[in-house]
Amino acid sequence: AAERTFIAIKPDGVQRGIVGEIISRFERKGFKLVGLKQLIPSQSLAEQHYAVHKERPFFSTLVNFITSGPVVAMVWEGEGVILSARKLIGATNPLQSEPGTIRGDLAIDIGRNIIHGSDGPETALSEIALWFEVSEVTDWIPSD
Ligand code: CMP
């Protein structure tokens, strides 16, 4: 199977009504949407998702924020999608993200940076497995 990555639109992105705008950017780039759902993450899901940040001073802020409302969780597929998605998303701190990127165009606050994308192949696999059941990811063949 082609490479896959986990992408989540955080509660601020949903609240601001920019879900369509964000999905559009991935579609227009040419990636394939193979998983999509909206949920309010449980405390446990959020803590597992952010486990690598457990010792950081902002860990509880992070968990509180991601569980504060609906998140749009997605799996995107395509050649080089993990790195390419990171480029589409832009730097973690929106004040340093380049214009043209999602965060560069649409955000200013590091704690409210609207979107998450897996940072590498191992993380992509573990995050997809954490957020999605196997049956919730649908492969499909684009017609030409
Ligand atoms: P994300 O890609 O979801 O992964 C970790 C998150 O931590 C990151 O996006 C930021 O939203 C958040 N983060 C990083 N640094 C800070 C900080 N100093 N204060 C609050 N949140 C932060």
Side-chain angles (χ1 to χ4, degrees), residues 8-31:
I9 304 173
K10 302 182 188 185
D12 53 333
V14 176
Q15 287 292 342
R16 288 175 53 194
I18 52 178
V19 169
E21 156 90 35
I22 292 168
I23 290 178
S24 263
R25 291 186 180 213
F26 284 87
E27 287 186 325
R28 280 152 56 205
K29 175 73 175 168
F31 292 124

Side-chain angles (χ1 to χ4, degrees), residues 37-138:
K37 62 181 175 182
Q38 178 169 278
L39 71 159
I40 300 179
S42 66
Q43 185 83 10
S44 154
L45 174 57
E47 286 176 359
Q48 290 178 75
H49 175 75
Y50 282 131
V52 294
H53 299 299
K54 207 159 184 55
E55 306 307 325
R56 306 269 196 115
F58 55 82
F59 179 71
S60 60
T61 310
L62 213 50
V63 170
N64 287 341
F65 177 57
I66 200 84
T67 58
S68 69
V71 166
V72 172
M74 298 178 279
V75 182
W76 286 89
E77 184 179 293
E79 176 100 31
V81 68
I82 299 172
L83 190 59
S84 183
R86 299 280 294 183
K87 289 183 179 162
L88 289 175
I89 290 169
T92 302
N93 184 346
L95 293 179
Q96 272 140 34
S97 325
E98 295 296 328
T101 66
I102 292 166
R103 288 172 177 156
D105 289 347
L106 302 169
I108 51 173
D109 184 336
I110 192 166
R112 293 206 176 358
N113 60 3
I114 59 181
I115 183 166
H116 167 86
S118 304
D119 64 7
E122 290 80 23
T123 323
L125 283 176
S126 63
E127 290 177 348
I128 292 167
L130 176 66
W131 287 79
F132 283 87
E133 303 285 346
V134 171
S135 63
E136 292 176 320
V137 182
T138 314

